[in-house]
Amino acid sequence: MVDLVQNTIDGLMIGSSYGLLALGFTLIFGVMRRLNLSYGPSVMVGAYLGTLVYVQLAAGPLVVLVVTVLGSVLAGLYVERLCFAPMAAGAGVASMVSSFAIWMQLEQAAVLVLPRHTYPFPPLATADPLAFGPFYLRVDGLIMLACALALSAGVQLLLYRSRVGLALRATINNPVAAHLAGIDVRTAVVFAFALASAVGGIAGYLVLATDQQVTPMFGMWATFKGLIAMMIGGLGSIPGAILGGLVLGVVEANSQWYFGPQVRDLLAYVLLFACLVLRPGGLLGEAPSRQQDTGRRGA
Amino acid sequence: MTALRLAGALAAAAACLSAGAFAQVGAQAPQAQVKMRAKADVACRPTSTALHYDCTIRLTNARTGEPLGGVTLTVGADMPSMPMMHSVRPVAAPPEPESGSYRARLALEMHGDWALQLNLSGPLRDRVVAIVRFEPGRAESRPGG
Amino acid sequence: MFEVSDIVATYGKIEALKGVSLKVESGKITCLLGPNGAGKTTLMMTIAGILQPRRGAIRLDGMDLAGLSPARIVSRGVALVPENRLVFPQMSVRENLLAGAYQRRDRAGIDSDIDRMYARFPRLKERREQMAGTLSGGEQQMLAVARALMSRPRLLLMDEPSLGLAPLIVAEIFEIIAELNRDGTTIFLVEQNAHMALKVAHQFFLMEQGRITFSGTPGQLAEDEVIQRAYLGSRRAAG
Amino acid sequence: MDDYLVGVLSNIGIVSFIALSAWLLLLTGEISFGQQAFFAIGAYAAGIATALWGWPLGAALGWSAAIAGGAAVLVGVPTLRLHGLYFAIATLGFAEMVRLLFEQFHYRVMIDGELVGPNGSDGFRGIRYIFENDVGSLQFLALIYLLLAAALAGFMLLERSRLGVAFRMIGEDDTLAALNGLAVARLKILAAGLAGALAGLGGGLYAHLTTYVEPRVFDVMLGVHSLAYGLIGGLGTALGPLLGVVIDIGLLESVRAFAGYRMIVFGGLVAVLLIVRPRGLLDEALVHRIGRLFVRAPPAGP
């Protein structure tokens, strides 16, 4: 029982970072109705730049954070310019495959700059875990959870209480009507990409600072964790993204404890598969309608 | 149900076709009795050039454990994480003075885990695969090869 | 004065507009008639900047609008109420109105305009916190009109505002059109329902196969025998 | 021919199977990120059949196609009710499940004093059929291309058949296809089964070519690549995915001059190509135009 609770606590903390990755994913998907496979690799590029200033210039954590986020945003915008902006409506599959090609590109670029398999990343917090009776709370985990909740609340506020949020939601709802209402849809899309990449950059920073190391595989990891959490929580829903991340984190932490890391990964995909087959709308999203069908020819 | 029946028929047709193709290839070589197999130990060292590694390969007879000399050995490489995308042109691995020992110099395209394909020809035709992780400044074989 | 001259627009290789020219007098209601596939919606979308013309000029009081982005065109004072009542289905009525005022920055003016819309369309006021997707067809049409008005257009374009609505609602919509015009808005509308249009419009154009084939006043329209038969329906045939 | 060329050509042939498999689903309008699962099932099935059970190669390949096709039908039933992105992610989830299950899969048998068989993440070594039976690398290459030619001939027939038209109709608009009386669900499952069998056959060939497989070989990279081939080469004809493979593996080899910058150059090329031709080089329009050059009279309908 103690184990279960402790695992659940740990799972909630790591799950909050999955939730942040899913949040970025869902923003891009919401605006573009397309899948950006290069999402994780863009964050990885940011993290590599962060590591670079850490290793080469011995920069402090704050500088590393800023560089990571800025790098993620720049890489994200590069992906948007190359894979999304020039694609005509109806070329959703082409965008997706193109973003995959750029993934390969970003990964190789990262390996060229920093060729070793792993590099150190500055730790988030070195304080001892806080003890509550038989339970321990890792400080970095707490920071991660707090950041996730604050950021998702911030994004929610931004979307529902600001002018630019109005533009984004209008674009998500109906791009043609948004054009006619005088909303600059292109700018809204670019903003969504930048925002999503920034959220991803923060999530990436938090994860890597907890792990204290970075590898080129982080890009793929981030894409898949974000994707799974997004689908579990429900496509297009911000609370759903966070909830999906937390659920994924809790399931992973417990299965890792009881069955080991390989079964953990297996169960994550079983959860994804079961969720899609049994409840395609996810926990908080709406069931897919034919109109929202994406990736198909008309999308 | 017609569709599913058709699927079954097509799968069966595919099976027959491949069996037919096999009959041509396999007819020349009836199932051989127990054949000699090779076993390999690979140890690689980085060189002064980045991504270039010096590998020493010790071949033994899998059954008797004796060193396996006198074969022609070439070494190719593929990345299991990107199968068939990074096939490195096979290099010849000439024998060393010590029997069963061969040496190859590999020029890889990137760091990571590589499946080295040791192609034996001459008295024994075989392929042995060794998994080696290449990193800047070091290389490490995975046991079990 | 709004003026379109020699607009050519293509869909792929098909020429949808083959050199369209027309003038819309300020303060008047101008109606564009025409059969399905004549290019009326294409013309509207081209004026609104959703489609780019191959060539030709679009001028509002001397300013050239051709080639501008839809957002710029809205800020120059042209708003389109599109066909099929495009609203933002997962946004509230109020948010839809706010989106219509996106190009404006005057917070107080926007708030008072929203109140004016509520006064003009009381049913929108009742449903202001409701998601637009849950409104009835007629209510969505009113919302689409109100949203377009929120940008304070000098020229309001309307693409088949009566399409698919019940006769009572259609009458209400046309009443609103006449009212808006009395308040000084120039209106350019596409309509299939020529009977309704005849009651409100001051000027008519007829478009067929990407070309303007007739222009005139309601009186001239009613006299034209061909148009009579095609658009107003001869009484003999109807009876 | 030198070994290297034979190796590259063998790779092109084998990857073509999984590329065709993904393309067949694209034809019916569905994106699969998961065809590598059937490739994996085929590879393990064929490897086990020859190395552990002593089956002849032909039987093993038929078995790999059959079991992979069967698995694809089983997975197709629940997943093909989903569409678009949902289907794509479900196939990805399934494929990763299969890969991770192979990480757990241990089935080792003592053969000639040596433990042979799948050994979890340490892989499955010693699928030595072609070495034990003196099948030369050229002979094996011929076998690959024989089977590939058979598959292509099948596709050419399919393109002219009612079934092929049905697949394309579903791909264009499955609601419309259903309104025209097509049993959309069954046809999609049929397509999924055929696609699975093709991938499985490719997997069986792959296992015997390399003599070694491990779960990592079958990760998402392979699946997304195979999907990309159809889009690079073109969706208009079954030759499209093949062209994609040739460009990818051929191009990767030819821009070797770029050494460490290879993926950077290649990734950029693919991105630009997809901007210029979003449905690939051999898209439907081009195929139609080329077809008109050869066929003067309109082909008689069935």
Side-chain angles (χ1 to χ4, degrees):
Chain A
M1 194 57 205
V2 173
D3 288 344
L4 186 71
V5 173
Q6 180 69 51
N7 291 335
T8 304
I9 293 171
D10 293 344
L12 286 174
M13 290 173 178
I14 182 74
S16 61
S17 68
Y18 299 164
L20 280 183
L21 290 168
L23 176 60
F25 236 121
T26 220
L27 274 175
I28 297 180
F29 182 81
V31 177
M32 299 298 300
R33 301 264 133 207
R34 291 174 188 187
L35 199 56
N36 177 14
L37 290 175
S38 261
Y39 174 62
S42 314
V43 174
M44 186 267 296
V45 167
Y48 257 63
L49 291 176
T51 285
L52 195 66
V53 295
Y54 175 61
V55 173
Q56 305 270 334
L57 310 171
L62 199 62
V63 177
V64 174
L65 172 66
V66 170
V67 170
T68 302
V69 172
L70 282 182
S72 305
V73 170
L74 281 180
L77 291 180
Y78 169 68
V79 173
E80 196 272 333
R81 284 292 97 185
L82 204 55
C83 307
F84 292 84
M87 296 294 183
V93 187
S95 276
M96 191 170 66
V97 170
S98 179
S99 71
F100 171 72
I102 296 307
W103 166 351
M104 307 276 90
Q105 207 184 32
L106 296 179
E107 206 170 280
Q108 176 134 43
V111 170
L112 275 176
V113 177
L114 296 170
R116 274 217 308 273
H117 193 66
T118 60
Y119 281 89
F121 205 82
L124 190 59
T126 44
D128 287 335
L130 308 173
F132 288 91
F135 305 117
Y136 288 94
L137 293 179
R138 287 185 54 154
V139 176
D140 45 15
L142 277 178
I143 297 176
M144 197 138 83
L145 189 60
C147 284
L149 295 178
L151 263 177
S152 59
V155 170
Q156 186 88 3
L157 271 180
L158 183 77
L159 279 182
Y160 285 87
R161 291 278 180 275
S162 74
R163 199 175 114 86
V164 69
L166 184 72
L168 269 183
R169 283 193 302 133
T171 306
I172 291 170
N173 256 252
N174 191 328
V176 175
H179 272 301
L180 293 176
I183 290 164
D184 191 341
V185 171
R186 289 226 140 186
T187 312
V189 168
V190 170
F191 177 78
F193 256 84
L195 179 65
S197 305
V199 170
I202 294 172
Y205 174 83
L206 293 170
V207 172
L208 295 169
T210 304
D211 289 352
Q212 299 183 24
Q213 60 170 18
V214 56
T215 81
M217 300 306 287
F218 179 72
M220 187 195 243
W221 183 90
T223 288
F224 286 135
K225 292 298 182 213
L227 193 59
I228 298 175
M230 172 175 82
M231 298 310 285
I232 292 174
L235 206 54
S237 157
I238 290 173
I242 298 294
L243 182 65
L246 295 178
V247 168
L248 179 63
V250 169
V251 169
E252 280 196 2
N254 278 298
S255 51
Q256 158 125 0
W257 177 265
Y258 293 110
F259 310 109
Q262 285 178 332
V263 174
R264 172 199 67 194
D265 292 348
L266 182 61
L267 276 183
Y269 284 105
V270 170
L271 185 66
L272 169 70
F273 190 76
C275 210
L276 276 169
V277 169
L278 301 175
R279 194 179 160 81
L283 296 174
L284 296 183
E286 284 170 35
S289 72
R290 297 310 310 247
Q291 264 68 41
Q292 288 182 331
D293 223 10
T294 50
R296 291 175 59 82
R297 224 165 258 227
Chain B
M1 263 1 253
T2 348
L4 289 181
R5 224 173 290 144
L6 194 57
L10 280 165
C16 293
L17 229 150
S18 50
F22 159 75
Q24 283 190 328
V25 176
Q28 302 150 350
Q31 186 85 18
Q33 287 93 25
V34 182
K35 250 190 119 167
M36 187 164 55
R37 288 184 182 194
K39 201 168 172 320
D41 275 319
V42 180
C44 297
R45 280 191 319 276
T47 64
S48 52
T49 316
L51 287 169
H52 285 236
Y53 291 84
D54 244 334
C55 295
T56 310
I57 299 131
R58 282 194 190 80
L59 294 180
T60 48
N61 183 323
R63 199 152 321 112
T64 60
E66 286 162 7
L68 197 60
V71 299
T72 309
L73 181 67
T74 62
V75 183
D78 193 21
M79 289 194 94
S81 55
M82 294 176 214
M84 300 172 274
M85 304 294 152
H86 290 275
S87 48
V88 166
R89 179 182 281 276
V91 292
E96 295 275 274
E98 188 192 336
S99 175
S101 200
Y102 303 81
R103 173 165 245 163
R105 192 182 164 96
L106 294 176
L108 301 174
E109 292 168 359
M110 59 194 286
H111 294 107
D113 286 359
W114 286 82
L116 300 188
Q117 299 172 338
L118 313 174
N119 301 307
L120 286 63
S121 53
L124 172 62
R125 192 170 154 263
D126 201 353
R127 168 177 284 175
V128 184
V129 174
I131 309 296
V132 184
R133 168 168 292 181
F134 294 95
E135 285 189 44
R138 68 201 196 102
E140 197 182 316
S141 297
R142 188 162 83 190
Chain C
M1 167 87 106
F2 173 72
E3 194 181 353
V4 163
S5 45
D6 200 26
I7 284 286
V8 173
T10 51
Y11 271 133
K13 281 182 182 161
I14 302 154
E15 237 176 39
L17 301 179
K18 302 168 180 170
V20 173
S21 302
L22 52 81
K23 279 180 191 163
V24 173
E25 304 266 345
S26 297
K28 296 272 171 66
I29 299 178
T30 305
C31 178
L32 181 65
L33 287 170
N36 284 331
K40 306 183 302 287
T41 296
T42 307
L43 178 65
M44 287 302 196
M45 293 299 232
T46 308
I47 297 172
I50 302 282
L51 301 174
Q52 292 298 322
R54 271 287 160 87
R55 61 161 209 261
I58 302 168
R59 280 196 198 83
L60 179 67
D61 299 332
M63 284 182 302
D64 196 355
L65 301 181
L68 294 185
S69 71
R72 280 285 171 78
I73 290 173
V74 172
S75 70
R76 302 279 150 93
V78 178
L80 169 62
V81 180
E83 203 180 19
N84 295 328
R85 310 180 273 284
L86 292 181
V87 293
F88 301 113
Q90 275 134 42
M91 285 163 57
S92 69
V93 167
R94 201 184 122 77
E95 285 173 331
N96 267 271
L97 296 179
L98 278 175
Y102 190 76
Q103 284 291 333
R104 293 168 56 186
R105 299 270 184 177
D106 53 326
R107 198 61 233 198
I110 293 172
D111 285 342
S112 75
D113 275 7
I114 289 182
D115 289 338
R116 274 183 37 218
M117 292 306 148
Y118 286 158
R120 176 166 269 145
F121 306 100
R123 259 181 298 171
L124 295 184
K125 186 176 184 182
E126 286 165 32
R127 305 201 185 318
R128 65 190 160 210
E129 293 308 326
Q130 214 168 307
M131 293 292 134
T134 64
L135 300 182
S136 73
E139 287 163 353
Q140 288 191 11
Q141 184 62 278
M142 287 175 195
L143 178 58
V145 174
R147 189 188 65 211
L149 291 174
M150 284 302 294
S151 67
R152 289 203 175 159
R154 279 184 283 169
L155 172 67
L156 183 66
L157 308 171
M158 301 177 92
D159 195 354
E160 303 229 20
S162 69
L163 193 72
L165 296 180
L168 266 177
I169 312 280
V170 173
E172 204 178 330
I173 294 278
F174 273 91
E175 210 155 289
I176 289 164
I177 292 173
E179 222 171 275
L180 289 173
N181 179 246
R182 276 198 295 277
D183 293 351
T185 312
T186 309
I187 293 172
F188 179 36
L189 84 157
V190 163
E191 193 44 78
Q192 297 257 23
N193 190 335
H195 283 292
M196 289 307 292
L198 262 177
K199 291 184 188 159
V200 297
H202 307 108
Q203 178 76 23
F204 281 88
F205 289 96
L206 176 65
M207 191 169 182
E208 286 169 315
Q209 295 180 350
R211 285 192 179 86
I212 299 292
T213 53
F214 169 89
S215 75
T217 60
Q220 290 166 317
L221 184 80
E223 275 162 27
D224 191 301
E225 206 168 296
V226 181
I227 295 177
Q228 262 287 3
R229 254 209 307 278
Y231 295 96
L232 299 170
S234 99
R235 299 212 177 262
R236 247 170 300 147
Chain D
M1 260 197 286
D2 85 344
D3 285 350
Y4 177 61
L5 188 58
V6 173
V8 171
L9 289 177
S10 302
N11 287 344
I12 288 177
I14 284 173
V15 177
S16 296
F17 280 95
I18 184 169
L20 277 173
S21 168
W23 174 83
L24 177 56
L25 280 177
L26 270 181
L27 200 66
T28 61
E30 297 298 350
I31 306 149
S32 168
F33 283 129
Q35 294 312 102
Q36 71 275 21
F38 308 113
F39 193 76
I41 290 171
Y44 273 88
I48 288 169
T50 58
L52 270 58
W53 303 342
W55 286 21
L57 182 60
L61 290 177
W63 155 246
S64 67
I67 193 168
V73 167
L74 283 181
V75 186
V77 172
T79 51
L80 280 166
R81 287 183 299 136
L82 305 168
H83 294 282
L85 182 73
Y86 293 88
F87 175 78
I89 310 272
T91 54
L92 181 135
F94 170 74
E96 285 293 276
M97 272 159 62
V98 168
R99 180 177 68 80
L100 291 160
L101 278 173
F102 278 123
E103 301 257 7
Q104 304 288 313
F105 181 50
H106 299 268
Y107 173 36
R108 311 242 288 162
V109 175
M110 190 67 85
I111 289 173
D112 294 338
E114 201 181 350
L115 270 176
V116 182
N119 189 20
S121 50
D122 274 341
F124 179 6
R125 286 163 205 270
I127 307 169
R128 284 174 153 120
Y129 183 94
I130 64 173
F131 293 95
E132 285 171 347
N133 293 281
D134 288 321
V135 181
S137 55
L138 267 177
Q139 270 176 310
F140 197 70
L141 181 68
L143 174 66
I144 294 171
Y145 278 87
L146 204 73
L147 290 174
L148 186 59
L152 274 179
F155 273 114
M156 295 295 162
L157 287 177
L158 179 73
E159 286 280 322
R160 286 158 190 273
S161 72
R162 284 172 40 129
L163 187 63
V165 174
F167 281 167
R168 278 205 188 268
M169 271 172 81
I170 293 171
E172 288 287 341
D173 187 336
D174 53 5
T175 312
L176 199 60
L179 289 175
N180 275 290
L182 295 179
V184 170
R186 276 183 206 158
L187 284 166
K188 279 195 169 179
I189 288 171
L190 172 65
L194 286 175
L198 262 179
L201 185 58
L205 289 167
Y206 174 73
H208 285 89
L209 176 74
T210 58
T211 74
Y212 167 78
V213 292
E214 66 169 294
R216 209 169 10 156
V217 168
F218 311 105
D219 76 4
V220 188
M221 281 289 162
L222 182 61
V224 188
H225 264 104
S226 50
L227 186 64
Y229 293 137
L231 278 159
I232 299 169
L235 299 180
T237 156
L239 294 174
L242 263 62
L243 179 65
V245 176
V246 171
I247 290 174
D248 182 15
I249 298 186
L251 203 70
L252 281 176
E253 300 300 334
S254 65
V255 293
R256 200 160 276 245
F258 295 110
Y261 300 88
R262 217 171 75 177
M263 286 317 290
I264 293 182
V265 175
F266 179 70
L269 275 178
V270 171
V272 171
L273 177 71
L274 285 173
I275 293 170
V276 184
R277 289 190 81 84
R279 290 182 72 76
L281 287 170
L282 297 173
D283 61 5
E284 287 87 346
L286 181 64
V287 170
H288 186 69
R289 232 176 301 148
I290 294 173
R292 289 233 307 251
L293 291 181
F294 291 101
V295 186
R296 295 272 156 70

